[in-house]
Amino acid sequence: MSKGRIEAFSDAVIAIAITIMVLELKVPDGADWRALTADTSALLAYVLSFVFLGIYWNNHHHMLQVTQRIDGAILWANLHLLFWLSLIPFATHWLAQQYTAAAPTVFYGAILLCSGISYTILQTTIIRSEGAASRLAQAVQNDVKGRLSLMLYVAALGLAFVRPWISDAIFVTVAVMWIVPDRRIERLTAER
């Protein structure tokens, strides 16, 4: 299979997830700014989830840029990632409606954790398919940011039972860490 097909399918799933999220936003009842800010939690949850989906889309693109071939294991690992990303709109909506409660925060964090794990599995599957000397392996050989993100998600899951807002702050921290595309892959592609 060509990389183009897996990229196009992944792009479509992420685009649909973003579309579903924006359709969940309700038009304000009033005609002033106060009416717009009445549902701030929904807007903030949307922005955070949009950023996360954008980060995954961007890094997925960079990862596939340096991938040479696609095999069945990579296809399934990619579907695994897309499964978790497709749940972000549902988790976002619940979090927006009940942002002070532990269960929606834990669920949202679990989706982010599973997305991070599945991205790592996809990355590992590609490296295993192409070998330790592959361009991707060279670029991500010491994935400190990836491991740190997973640890922060795990911490956020536990802290949601204490103070959900702390977990939300951790989610924002991870998003800020990843807002800049993975420069390791960009540097590698620029050198070639």
Side-chain angles (χ1 to χ4, degrees), residues 4-185:
R5 289 204 58 203
I6 194 171
E7 287 173 315
F9 181 70
S10 301
D11 290 352
V13 170
I14 292 170
I16 290 168
I18 289 171
T19 302
I20 290 169
M21 285 189 324
V22 79
L23 292 175
E24 289 291 330
L25 295 175
K26 303 299 179 220
V27 176
D29 288 330
D32 58 4
W33 292 111
R34 198 169 345 142
L36 181 62
T37 60
D39 202 5
T40 305
S41 63
L43 287 172
L44 292 175
Y46 169 77
V47 168
L48 180 61
S49 295
F50 183 93
V51 168
F52 270 115
L53 286 170
I55 288 166
Y56 276 104
W57 176 78
N58 204 326
N59 287 311
H60 185 270
H61 165 74
H62 282 98
M63 182 167 49
L64 288 180
Q65 237 182 343
V66 296
T67 301
Q68 300 302 310
R69 64 182 175 276
I70 304 298
D71 62 17
I74 293 170
L75 287 175
W76 282 108
N78 193 67
L79 282 172
H80 182 226
L81 171 62
L82 294 177
F83 170 78
W84 293 109
L85 294 180
S86 72
L87 289 174
I88 288 179
F90 176 75
T92 301
H93 187 65
W94 193 23
L95 180 68
Q97 298 302 312
Q98 304 294 327
Y99 64 93
T100 60
T105 305
V106 169
F107 184 71
Y108 187 82
I111 298 300
L112 294 179
L113 174 62
C114 290
S115 296
I117 290 169
S118 62
Y119 184 87
T120 303
I121 290 170
L122 175 58
Q123 182 175 277
T124 303
T125 304
I126 291 170
I127 292 170
R128 189 174 297 131
S129 173
E130 297 194 343
S134 69
R135 293 170 65 193
L136 181 60
Q138 292 171 26
V140 298
Q141 57 190 319
N142 189 10
D143 193 14
V144 173
K145 204 161 60 165
R147 288 193 304 273
L148 178 61
S149 298
L150 296 177
M151 289 188 294
L152 286 170
Y153 289 145
V154 170
L157 293 178
L159 290 169
F161 293 106
V162 179
R163 295 277 189 267
W165 69 266
I166 296 172
S167 298
D168 296 338
I170 290 171
F171 302 149
V172 169
T173 301
V174 173
V176 168
M177 283 174 32
W178 285 99
I179 204 81
V180 175
D182 198 331
R183 298 283 185 221
R184 299 169 299 178
I185 294 175

